[in-house]
Amino acid sequence: MELQKAVVVTDSSQLQDTQIPQVSYASTAPELSDNTRYDFFSRVVPPDTYQAQAMVDIVKAMRWNYVSTVASEGNYGESGVDAFIQKSREDGGLCISQSVKIPREPRTGEFDKIIRRLSENPNARVVIIFANEDDIRRLLQAAKKANQTGHFIWVGSDSWGSKISPILNQEEMAEGAVTILPKRQSIKGFDRYFISRTLENNRRNIWFAEFWENNFQCKLSRHAVKKGSGIKKCTNHERIGKDSSYEQEGKVQFVIDAVYAMAHALHNMHKDLCPGKVGLCNKMDTINGTLLLKYIRNVNFTGIAGTPVVFNVNGDAPGRYEIYQYQITNNTTEYKIIGHWTDQLHLDTNEMQWPGGNPEVPSSICSQPCRPGQRKKTVKGIPCCWHCENCDGYQYQADTYTCKMCRFDLRPNENHTGCDPIPIVKLEWSSPWAVIPVLIAVLGIMATLFVVVTFVRYNDTPIVKASGRELSYVLLTGIFLCYATTFLMISSPDVFICSLRRIFLGLGMSISYAALLTKTNRIYRIFEQGKMSVSAPRFISPASQLVITFSLISVQLLGVCIWFGVDPSQAIIDYQDQRTANPKMARGVLKCDISDLSLICLLGYSMLLMVTCTVYAIKTRGVPETFNEAKPIGFTMYTTCIVWLAFIPIFFGTSQSAEKMYIQTTTLTISVSLSASVSLGMLYMPKVYVVLFHPEQNVPKRKRSLKAVVTAATMSNKFNPKGGLRPNGEAKSELCESLETQGWYNA
């Protein structure tokens, strides 16, 4: 006889009043675990809360996070879905797209409507089903009608289990379905017993005759057979399993275990209350339900299938399930065991296959996983659905939902999952930005040394004497330092190099312009004094000129010393100079802590000397060109002013450029070198040319008084503007030698 699933349980008040312990073999409703209402109820099958947990574990193991649920109206279906939803919320990471209930008496088209609702979100392919067999069958039919074959992945409860009837004639719709059943075993002894039952040897079962008629499609009464109905009369020679199909009902094991649980409880109770007696004693004549319940809850024995039979405090059996998948292989269908669940899931994914024979697990997720370097922006109210937003710029992905800025000295890596150090750059010797300044500086230094050697070699000749030897050597030293500054500007910055930059960047120019200023001032005073008196001006001797020059230079050195005291020199890494919009191009610049403003202040004194020298050059523009160096100095200063006027807009106009370090360093070094080159070329190259290639012009001349020399120079300028009185500038040499002699004398 077919065993029914559920045992009817009366309400709590009746149980409390009667105090009759009950042991169920099939009732799985979660609310029966409530000891406050069903305190005398126990069961040898696990409640649906375990089944719901197993189904949640299956869904999560398949990496599905967006599913729909379908439940038959009633205690079993609704409680099962509620338990599933509750467990999914407790575990997290699982969202419900649609939750549909099948009415007890569905109207026409009801299942088509359900399929349309399930199809509203095509990403939710997995459907959790707690429904009876008929509802499952009709749901699959509606899905087939809607041409959804292979789209939905069904996860069925134990009401589906491994049954054939729900999927009959719609196997393709059920392909890939994952179902669950309490772990069970076929009892061979029961099979031998049941197939041997006949009408003669099983008269005590009043329902057996009805089962016989339904099983063999016959009627026991002759009068019940109608002509043309196709139903025959039973012969009593039919045999179960031979003349009809037979498959053991899955609950047989639990029926036997339930009976044995009650038997063990009564046996243990009898041993304690009636020791050594056969039959019931007075203490068990009226059984105390509360005491019997205690013995039922304490039983612990091995069941008919070899599994332990125990109860927890709520009277529930432990959860033990087998996981099945309905598969079609070479037109052969089967429910294949793919795993089991006992407190935790054990699933063999290698044994699983999906609609169409696809070995890949189908997806059922609301949103695709974000790529590395993207954060999730969750859709309000649906934690499994999100939008992916890039961590852009200097941001990196701190966690799943957050982008953060990298530290100032870091930049995001290729996929924005972390931060890497920003590369450090400096001006390299091999860079084109350095090669040209270095080439100019090397050529300038070689030319300067050549002039110095020439002057030393011909130190006592009239041309060298006329140029003012002492100030010439000072000026050549300044020119040399201007060229040498290029190497300091390109060298790798450290505390020592940065200190040298502070000292020598402005010092070379200060020496040069201090010497030139002293010269122009000397010429100006000589000609102004010569117009009024025969006596020479004060402080025109070489010693006086050196004192004036070094006094002017000392102002620059004093300013640098004060700067060192206020702000000691150091090398820094500037991460803002080349912090481009594209982090890949970001660089940290190793440089000295000299700001643009500090640099202008550093060169400001030199600029002041240069402007003052230019003013004196303008004032002495009337001096004949053959007399001393007024006009060459004037041309030198005009050209130098043009160089530095061009430098300023280039230097400050590139302050926002990514190539700022290279452009500004190159511009500064070339400007300093050009200034030195202008002074060297205009003031000394003509003298060197005369000394080396026209020695006949480098001869001493007769001396005259200062007044006579100045007067001659003035008259010469007035009547002969070109000043070609004598070759090689005889008057010039004579004037300078006269000034040198008288200057020393006056000093």
Side-chain angles (χ1 to χ4, degrees):
M1 184 178 197
E2 184 179 0
L3 299 173
Q4 301 300 316
K5 175 181 179 181
V7 172
V8 177
V9 181
T10 55
D11 59 63
S12 58
S13 60
Q14 184 177 354
L15 286 175
Q16 184 67 32
D17 293 340
T18 57
Q19 295 186 342
I20 301 175
Q22 300 180 6
V23 180
S24 172
Y25 62 85
S27 297
T28 60
E31 56 265 29
L32 294 174
S33 298
D34 185 0
N35 254 340
T36 61
R37 297 179 60 196
Y38 308 107
D39 47 346
F40 282 85
F41 179 84
S42 304
R43 48 187 164 188
V44 293
V45 288
D48 286 339
T49 49
Y50 291 133
Q51 182 175 200
Q53 183 64 63
M55 296 172 81
V56 168
D57 291 347
I58 292 170
V59 169
K60 298 185 74 172
M62 295 291 100
R63 300 185 182 277
W64 298 323
N65 69 1
Y66 201 44
V67 302
S68 298
T69 64
V70 176
S72 292
E73 185 178 4
N75 182 273
Y76 171 76
E78 295 179 56
S79 297
V81 165
D82 289 344
F84 177 85
I85 294 175
Q86 179 63 31
K87 291 294 183 182
S88 67
R89 287 174 179 169
E90 291 175 1
D91 287 8
L94 187 59
C95 299
I96 308 301
S97 172
Q98 300 282 352
S99 191
V100 184
K101 182 167 64 176
I102 303 174
R104 293 184 187 275
E105 298 180 1
R107 298 187 301 270
T108 303
E110 186 71 34
F111 288 92
D112 296 333
K113 181 180 177 181
I114 291 173
I115 292 298
R116 284 195 297 271
R117 282 193 61 186
L118 296 177
S119 302
E120 286 178 1
N121 193 332
N123 288 337
R125 296 179 60 187
V126 172
V127 180
I128 309 298
I129 301 181
F130 279 85
N132 59 52
E133 295 179 36
D134 187 59
D135 286 346
I136 294 171
R137 178 179 56 79
R138 296 175 68 180
L139 186 65
L140 295 178
Q141 286 176 348
K144 185 176 182 180
K145 179 181 176 182
N147 197 26
Q148 294 291 340
T149 303
H151 175 72
F152 292 112
I153 304 299
W154 314 99
V155 179
S157 64
D158 60 350
S159 61
W160 184 335
S162 59
K163 295 174 183 176
I164 300 298
S165 57
I167 61 173
L168 193 61
N169 299 324
Q170 44 197 11
E171 289 80 4
E172 290 184 356
M173 279 305 307
E175 184 180 9
V178 178
T179 60
I180 190 170
L181 267 180
K183 192 171 185 179
R184 62 185 184 178
Q185 184 174 326
S186 181
I187 310 302
K188 294 182 179 179
F190 180 82
D191 288 341
R192 290 193 299 268
Y193 166 79
F194 194 74
I195 62 177
S196 67
R197 296 300 89 193
T198 64
L199 293 172
E200 283 79 12
N201 60 18
N202 199 23
R203 294 182 182 276
R204 66 185 181 89
N205 191 328
I206 60 175
W207 295 287
F208 191 73
E210 182 181 350
F211 163 76
W212 193 272
E213 289 181 336
N214 291 332
N215 189 48
F216 295 108
Q217 296 294 305
C218 63
K219 292 294 182 179
L220 292 174
S221 171
R222 181 185 301 273
H223 301 289
V225 178
K226 296 181 180 179
K227 292 183 179 181
S229 63
I231 299 177
K232 60 181 179 179
K233 183 179 181 302
C234 300
T235 63
N236 201 22
H237 295 294
E238 297 89 357
R239 291 295 178 265
I240 299 173
K242 182 178 180 182
D243 299 315
S244 66
S245 61
Y246 167 74
E247 181 182 2
Q248 186 179 124
E249 163 59 52
K251 298 296 188 294
V252 169
Q253 167 192 335
F254 302 112
V255 173
I256 297 173
D257 287 344
V259 172
Y260 272 99
M262 184 64 77
H264 276 280
L266 289 170
H267 177 71
N268 294 335
M269 185 178 182
H270 182 269
K271 283 200 305 182
D272 292 342
L273 298 181
C274 307
K277 291 188 178 181
V278 178
L280 296 178
C281 61
N282 293 333
K283 291 183 179 181
M284 289 188 66
D285 189 28
T286 301
I287 294 180
N288 185 328
T290 302
L291 184 60
L292 177 58
L293 177 65
K294 177 182 176 183
Y295 280 97
I296 291 175
R297 296 287 174 85
N298 288 331
V299 298
N300 187 343
F301 64 95
T302 301
I304 190 69
T307 56
V309 177
V310 293
F311 301 100
N312 63 14
V313 293
N314 296 321
D316 297 328
R320 288 187 290 265
Y321 296 96
E322 286 183 324
I323 315 299
Y324 294 82
Q325 187 182 40
Y326 188 71
Q327 299 180 355
I328 302 176
T329 307
N330 298 327
N331 295 323
T332 302
T333 62
E334 66 169 331
Y335 283 100
K336 188 172 186 177
I337 295 178
I338 57 172
H340 64 276
W341 189 93
T342 306
D343 293 330
Q344 61 182 2
L345 180 66
H346 301 275
L347 199 62
D348 186 359
T349 55
N350 295 325
E351 294 293 330
M352 302 180 75
Q353 66 181 44
W354 305 99
N358 190 353
E360 294 185 5
V361 179
S363 66
S364 184
I365 56 178
C366 181
S367 302
Q368 293 295 328
C370 292
R371 296 192 303 271
Q374 293 182 328
R375 75 177 187 94
K376 293 180 180 178
K377 186 177 181 181
T378 307
V379 176
K380 187 175 181 180
I382 312 177
C384 300
C385 301
W386 57 80
H387 303 296
C388 295
E389 291 185 350
N390 290 325
C391 296
D392 53 9
Y394 286 83
Q395 294 180 329
Y396 71 98
Q397 183 184 1
D399 54 45
T400 305
Y401 301 97
T402 309
C403 292
K404 290 185 178 179
M405 292 292 292
C406 290
R407 206 173 61 203
F408 72 95
D409 59 340
L410 303 175
R411 65 178 182 181
N413 56 22
E414 186 69 24
N415 55 12
H416 287 255
T417 55
C419 296
D420 295 332
I422 294 178
I424 308 301
V425 297
K426 58 184 178 63
L427 186 57
E428 301 290 346
W429 292 99
S430 58
S431 169
W433 296 98
V435 170
I436 295 176
V438 168
L439 180 61
I440 295 174
V442 169
L443 294 176
I445 289 173
M446 292 173 63
T448 303
L449 293 176
F450 178 73
V451 171
V452 171
V453 170
T454 302
F455 267 49
V456 172
R457 172 69 178 81
Y458 298 96
N459 189 57
D460 294 324
T461 61
I463 291 292
V464 175
K465 287 183 178 180
S467 65
R469 290 174 295 184
E470 293 77 9
L471 286 182
S472 291
Y473 289 132
V474 172
L475 179 56
L476 287 170
T477 301
I479 292 173
F480 176 84
L481 290 178
C482 286
Y483 287 125
T485 301
T486 297
F487 299 95
L488 292 177
M489 297 301 295
I490 297 176
S491 297
S492 179
D494 55 31
V495 174
F496 178 69
I497 293 295
C498 292
S499 300
L500 293 181
R501 285 186 187 180
R502 285 193 182 185
I503 296 171
F504 290 105
L505 181 59
L507 183 61
M509 295 178 63
S510 296
I511 292 174
S512 299
Y513 297 134
L516 287 175
L517 176 59
T518 303
K519 277 193 173 191
T520 55
N521 175 265
R522 179 190 186 196
I523 295 171
Y524 173 76
R525 289 188 295 116
I526 286 173
F527 276 89
E528 288 296 313
Q529 181 73 16
K531 293 176 183 179
M532 298 178 293
S533 172
V534 295
S535 62
R538 300 177 61 188
F539 308 119
I540 62 171
S541 67
S544 299
Q545 297 297 295
L546 288 176
V547 171
I548 294 172
T549 300
F550 287 123
S551 298
L552 294 174
I553 295 171
S554 65
V555 175
Q556 173 75 22
L557 293 175
L558 178 62
V560 172
C561 291
I562 294 174
W563 189 9
F564 274 121
V566 174
D567 182 18
S569 181
Q570 59 180 337
I572 62 172
I573 300 175
D574 189 344
Y575 291 98
Q576 296 300 321
D577 252 12
Q578 295 192 28
R579 192 175 180 86
T580 57
N582 182 2
K584 293 181 181 179
M585 305 302 295
R587 298 292 185 271
V589 179
L590 178 61
K591 65 179 186 179
C592 296
D593 61 335
I594 302 177
S595 65
D596 293 349
L597 180 60
S598 300
L599 182 63
I600 294 301
C601 293
L602 180 64
L603 299 176
Y605 181 66
S606 300
M607 300 288 185
L608 177 62
L609 293 177
M610 180 182 69
V611 171
T612 307
C613 188
T614 303
V615 171
Y616 275 108
I618 294 173
K619 287 185 176 184
T620 58
R621 67 186 182 279
V623 175
E625 62 181 18
T626 54
F627 294 94
N628 212 285
E629 302 173 298
K631 281 187 170 52
I633 290 175
F635 289 132
T636 298
M637 299 318 301
Y638 305 151
T639 307
T640 303
C641 286
I642 293 173
V643 170
W644 286 100
L645 285 174
F647 160 78
I648 291 175
I650 295 175
F651 187 87
F652 289 99
T654 57
S655 60
Q656 302 301 321
S657 171
E659 304 290 332
K660 171 184 175 182
M661 174 186 67
Y662 306 107
I663 297 175
Q664 291 189 343
T665 302
T666 302
T667 304
L668 177 61
T669 53
I670 289 179
S671 297
V672 173
S673 295
L674 285 179
S675 300
S677 299
V678 168
S679 300
L680 186 66
M682 290 189 174
L683 298 178
Y684 292 102
M685 286 307 171
K687 297 180 178 61
V688 172
Y689 176 77
V690 172
V691 169
L692 295 179
F693 298 104
H694 294 282
E696 72 278 3
Q697 298 180 13
N698 190 13
V699 294
K701 311 300 177 185
R702 63 184 179 85
K703 304 286 192 304
R704 288 186 288 177
S705 67
L706 174 64
K707 181 68 175 178
V709 173
V710 172
T711 301
T714 305
M715 295 304 293
S716 173
N717 187 48
K718 196 174 289 184
F719 295 105
N720 188 5
K722 294 186 179 180
L725 289 177
R726 296 172 185 156
N728 86 338
E730 180 181 320
K732 175 180 176 182
S733 298
E734 183 182 350
L735 173 63
C736 293
E737 290 176 6
S738 175
L739 289 174
E740 184 177 336
T741 303
Q742 294 182 36
W744 280 109
Y745 178 79
N746 293 334

